[in-house]
Amino acid sequence: MPIIARPARSSLRSLILAATALAAFSGAAFADPEFVKQAKPGAGLYELVFSPATNRVYVAAAGTRGAKETFVLGLDPTTLEVKETIALGEDPMFGLGVNNKTKTLYGTQTRDGSVSAIDLNTGKIVAHVAKGEKAHVRQIVVDEDANKVYVSVVGMREAPSEIWIIDGATNKLDHAIEGLTGGVTGIALDAKGKRLFASTMNSNEVHVVDLATEKVVKTFPSGGDNAINLAYDASGDQLFIAHQGSGEVVVLDAKDGNIIKKIPTGEGALSVAIDPARSLAYVTNRRAGYVTLIDTKTLEPVANVNLGSMPQTVAIDAATGNAYVSSKMKSAMRPRPSAPPAAAGAPPVSAAAVPAGAQPAAGPGGERPRPVPMVDPFGDTVTLIKP
């Protein structure tokens, strides 16, 4: 994929943007996405969501290791300034989901195996949902029309996985779909078709749940290695599945699981978010350090936005198309992320376009300097990108 690289500067606001238009959509040539701004709102950032009902970007801030104070932070979607701080004490949230109709935020508190509900009008926790035994709760999706909350529970050791179904009216556990095999991690909702899709990281499969019966009706291969998260594209009745192990997104026909296309994106492909109005899929490539944009109609990558660290999740404002990306803090001794891939015949990427935190170059004799602790200037950030 061709890359336009702009020299790095000292300011985070002028972080490198590497992006090139490769395809057309909406009847016109696709313009380069715009890197708008980047902010460091807190420590230990994980998932984020956008709420049009409150006009806020909510991000889970788990703090540094052993932190006694953890938060959910409400950011202004234009400036990325912290406008609300919701204190969670020692029990951080990691995954987030929001019901905009009820203005309720849900978060997975993986350390104690529970889900909490926050009233966004007051910023207070109003419910705490647990099943009894400790569970590795991970991802949340919300069906706003049905007022139901779905939670993936990764199987611990030899225990099978589950999907919790929480009644949003009472914020109590209504039902659990139990005995799921393969290590369920990601879930995606087809609200209109009353289907829930679950990706399995260990067996590389997709379970299809009929929400009318709350039973698994189909299971088919995911098409790659370490299927971690997925998104449903209603316009094409397709599933976009991120595979950490093979560094690709595999597009499947949601009806029968047939592979439509395999799209290499980058090392450690992690999360997928769909912007249906602009026919775009955003893919975070955590170890590679950049976000790939894919045209959901042509299934071609159209741009890479290099964030310089470890992009985690993407939330999209459906009205404006603004995309918000959370990035984790990189380990002090971890090698830098690789640059986005270039197509044959593309100009080489300049050294200035490589993110900060690079692996030291070999010396004249081939030896490498010992790694030294460093601060990751691009970690624990939220980035605003305009398509």
Side-chain angles (χ1 to χ4, degrees), residues 43-46 60-71 92-94 111:
L45 301 188
Y46 278 82
T64 56
R65 185 178 295 275
K68 301 295 184 182
E69 295 182 347
T70 66
F71 308 94
M93 289 181 174
F94 295 94
R111 290 180 185 173

Side-chain angles (χ1 to χ4, degrees), residues 162-179:
E162 299 179 345
I163 296 174
W164 290 359
I165 304 174
I166 297 172
D167 183 344
T170 63
N171 284 325
K172 294 182 178 179
L173 183 63
D174 179 70
H175 182 65
I177 302 172
E178 301 177 330

